Amino acid sequence: MRYMKMTHFYRLERRFFLQSALAAMMAVPLASLPAQAEGAKAQRVLAIGGAVTEIVYELGEQDRLVGRDATSNHPPEAAALPNVGYIRALSPEGVLSVKPDLILARENNGPPEAVEVLKSTGVRWVDVPDDFTLKGIDENITIIAAELGVPQKGEALKKKVAVDIAKARARLASIERRHKVMFVLALTDDKVHTAGKNTAANNIIELAGGDNVITAFSGYKQISNEAVIEAAPDIIVMMNGRGESTDHESPNALLEAHPALSATPAVRNGNIIRMDGLLLLGFGPRTGEAISKLAEAFYGDEY
């Protein structure tokens, strides 16, 4: 009975959300939204997802962009575009305010109710797969180039990206040892949120010649302090701004004070690597650069 009540409440809440979103959407009349003729190239493109925006720029089609989401911070000139909000917290009124005729969105978008409303407007919405692999980069470029009507540019970009990645990985051939690496997503109340298998963090660590010490699960999860100590990583990788202390003399003070991380070889030896999150985990056109920078941080002169 309690489950039925909760389900009913959820349905009412969802209906209210959709009604509110539709009401807000009426502030942008559908008739005023640009229509895309069959076979015509989209001229007002909205990119949602940092890697999506990067691909549009690398294809040389940035003049057609009318907006981007909050995660799209590269290249720097993308910051001049209207920001329609965070990829997982989109609103119909925010997205439609830029009057797109094509929306290219990385799959981890949301909330589902808002996306449902947006897809019902008739504006072309294309989900770009959240596949953080080398094959996924190829597929994303193919999809975006096709939607923009520039498949030949897409083929050229795929070749360029493949060459960059191959060069970065070729330099790892001389590395005889592999470091044990832990990716720390966040620290919350002394709890460590880390990356397991089938994640962008796991894949970029492996591509850069490291071994992810967390293999018991897939995805990003919180682990116990005992599990952190047992994993004993040689290196910890984090995104810029994560786990940094305001103490200028010791930016790793928070890690050094952590009851479990402080006991790891990584923290004891000061082997903490921080990188820009989009570069590190985006799996976009700059993945070759990400591999090179991470491998160089792992192995120094050996790389």
Side-chain angles (χ1 to χ4, degrees):
M1 181 64 70
R2 183 181 177 186
Y3 171 77
M4 291 177 65
K5 287 181 178 179
M6 289 297 293
T7 301
H8 179 65
F9 174 78
Y10 170 76
R11 286 174 179 168
L12 288 176
E13 184 180 45
R14 183 171 178 271
R15 183 180 300 172
F16 174 77
F17 179 93
L18 287 170
Q19 289 172 342
S20 300
L22 283 168
M25 191 177 68
M26 293 307 293
V28 184
L30 294 183
S32 71
L33 295 174
Q36 184 178 347
E38 186 175 354
K41 290 184 181 180
Q43 297 303 319
R44 298 185 60 81
V45 181
L46 171 61
I48 298 176
V52 173
T53 303
E54 284 192 41
I55 290 171
V56 174
Y57 271 87
E58 287 293 327
L59 290 170
E61 298 298 316
Q62 63 271 19
D63 289 346
R64 293 154 69 183
L65 287 173
V66 294
R68 49 96 186 183
D69 76 307
T71 70
S72 297
N73 56 28
H74 187 87
E77 50 266 37
L81 292 167
N83 182 351
V84 301
Y86 181 55
I87 187 171
R88 295 187 184 89
L90 301 170
S91 68
E93 59 269 32
V95 169
L96 296 178
S97 68
V98 298
K99 298 184 179 181
D101 58 12
L102 172 63
I103 299 171
L104 299 168
R106 203 81 186 248
E107 276 183 337
N108 61 348
N109 54 66
E113 294 85 355
V115 173
E116 182 179 341
V117 169
L118 287 164
K119 288 182 176 180
S120 73
T121 64
V123 177
R124 182 161 177 75
W125 177 293
V126 177
D127 282 314
V128 180
D130 241 358
D131 185 352
F132 299 107
T133 64
L134 300 185
K135 180 181 178 181
I137 298 170
D138 254 28
E139 183 180 6
N140 287 353
I141 294 173
T142 298
I143 290 171
I144 293 170
E147 288 296 328
L148 295 177
V150 290
Q152 290 183 331
K153 285 186 177 182
E155 291 302 312
L157 178 57
K158 286 193 294 184
K159 289 178 182 178
K160 176 182 179 299
V161 171
V163 168
D164 290 344
I165 291 171
K167 286 181 178 179
R169 298 192 69 192
R171 294 170 60 191
L172 286 164
S174 62
I175 304 297
E176 297 180 355
R177 60 197 177 101
R178 294 175 67 91
H179 284 302
K180 295 167 58 181
V181 184
M182 176 183 286
F183 177 79
V184 175
L185 178 64
L187 298 175
T188 307
D189 298 328
D190 282 340
K191 300 297 183 181
V192 176
H193 294 253
T194 187
K197 297 180 294 183
N198 301 314
T199 58
N202 175 87
N203 295 350
I204 198 68
I205 286 170
E206 291 187 348
L207 285 169
D211 288 327
N212 184 8
V213 293
I214 305 299
T215 59
F217 59 81
S218 294
Y220 297 91
K221 295 183 181 180
Q222 180 177 294
I223 62 175
S224 68
N225 286 343
E226 291 78 8
V228 173
I229 294 171
E230 184 178 352
D234 301 320
I235 295 173
I236 287 174
V237 175
M238 305 182 76
M239 292 185 286
N240 286 342
R242 303 291 179 95
E244 293 182 69
S245 171
T246 55
D247 181 353
H248 296 295
E249 294 184 3
S250 181
N252 296 326
L254 294 178
L255 303 181
E256 293 163 355
H258 191 276
L261 290 172
S262 60
T264 65
V267 174
R268 289 202 308 266
N269 297 322
N271 291 330
I272 316 298
I273 298 169
R274 292 186 177 88
M275 284 180 59
D276 172 75
L278 180 56
L279 172 62
L280 181 67
L281 305 179
F283 275 77
R286 294 185 294 157
T287 298
E289 178 185 347
I291 293 170
S292 291
K293 287 188 173 181
L294 193 57
E296 188 172 352
F298 283 171
Y299 298 106
D301 292 339
E302 292 181 61
Y303 178 62

